[in-house]
Amino acid sequence: MDKFLQAAIEEAQKGLAEGGIPIGSVLVHDGKIIGRGHNRRVQNGSCVLHGEMDALENAGRLPAKVYQESVIYTTLSPCSMCSGAILLYGIPKVVIGENVTFMGEEEHLKSRGVEIEVVDDATCKKMMNDFIAERPELWNEDIGV
């Protein structure tokens, strides 16, 4: 398995262990992780800390060129908010663990020139399927249903 997707999965598992939603993400530049995060909406009482947003937050302020040369890995297809951040910072590529349990804004990202790679990872799918079955109310809250 790709080591960066594995790091995103480890972030998702941390979130689940903390009582949160198991979605993780890492931001990679020049072959190094420069930001990592996981969905912390429950843990922090936040309305915006999805996995990708947390990874970007933890990367800190960076020059535009760094974002424009980076790849963001996420265990789940990015929602509208996270896709907006990807577009805002000009991140050119997104590697997605899975998009079966949730299809985010992949077509919108593609239409704006972002390269999308869907891995269709069994670990990511099982983690989300199990979570959705166990905590449907929390999952629905996370996706705005």
Side-chain angles (χ1 to χ4, degrees):
M1 171 184 292
D2 180 298
K3 67 181 180 180
F4 300 125
L5 181 57
Q6 181 60 46
I9 290 170
E10 289 166 7
E11 285 294 323
Q13 291 167 335
K14 283 182 194 176
L16 184 61
E18 294 168 356
I21 300 162
I23 303 169
S25 182
V26 295
L27 183 65
V28 177
H29 182 259
D30 280 341
K32 294 181 200 141
I33 295 173
I34 60 171
R36 59 176 62 231
H38 52 274
N39 187 305
R40 293 181 193 260
R41 289 185 65 254
V42 173
Q43 301 91 311
N44 289 20
S46 172
C47 64
V48 296
L49 280 181
H50 283 192
E52 299 90 334
M53 302 298 279
D54 193 41
L56 290 168
E57 176 70 15
N58 291 328
R61 289 180 61 201
L62 300 169
K65 185 174 177 21
V66 173
Y67 294 112
Q68 295 162 3
E69 296 172 345
S70 293
V71 176
I72 194 162
Y73 287 73
T74 180
T75 57
L76 187 65
S77 185
C79 72
S80 299
M81 176 177 63
C82 296
S83 295
I86 290 164
L87 293 173
L88 177 67
Y89 290 107
I91 298 169
K93 183 174 180 180
V94 182
V95 178
I96 300 167
E98 68 104 347
N99 62 3
V100 175
T101 58
F102 178 78
M103 173 59 78
E105 298 295 329
E106 294 175 32
E107 289 306 316
H108 181 61
L109 289 167
K110 286 179 193 176
S111 77
R112 299 282 301 273
V114 177
E115 180 184 349
I116 301 293
E117 179 183 334
V118 179
V119 177
D120 196 33
D121 180 78
T123 300
C124 293
K125 286 192 280 192
K126 179 171 178 12
M127 191 166 34
M128 285 309 302
N129 278 322
D130 290 351
F131 178 79
I132 292 167
E134 292 169 16
R135 301 292 309 271
E137 75 292 343
L138 191 54
W139 171 243
N140 287 335
E141 175 190 320
D142 196 60
I143 59 172
V145 175

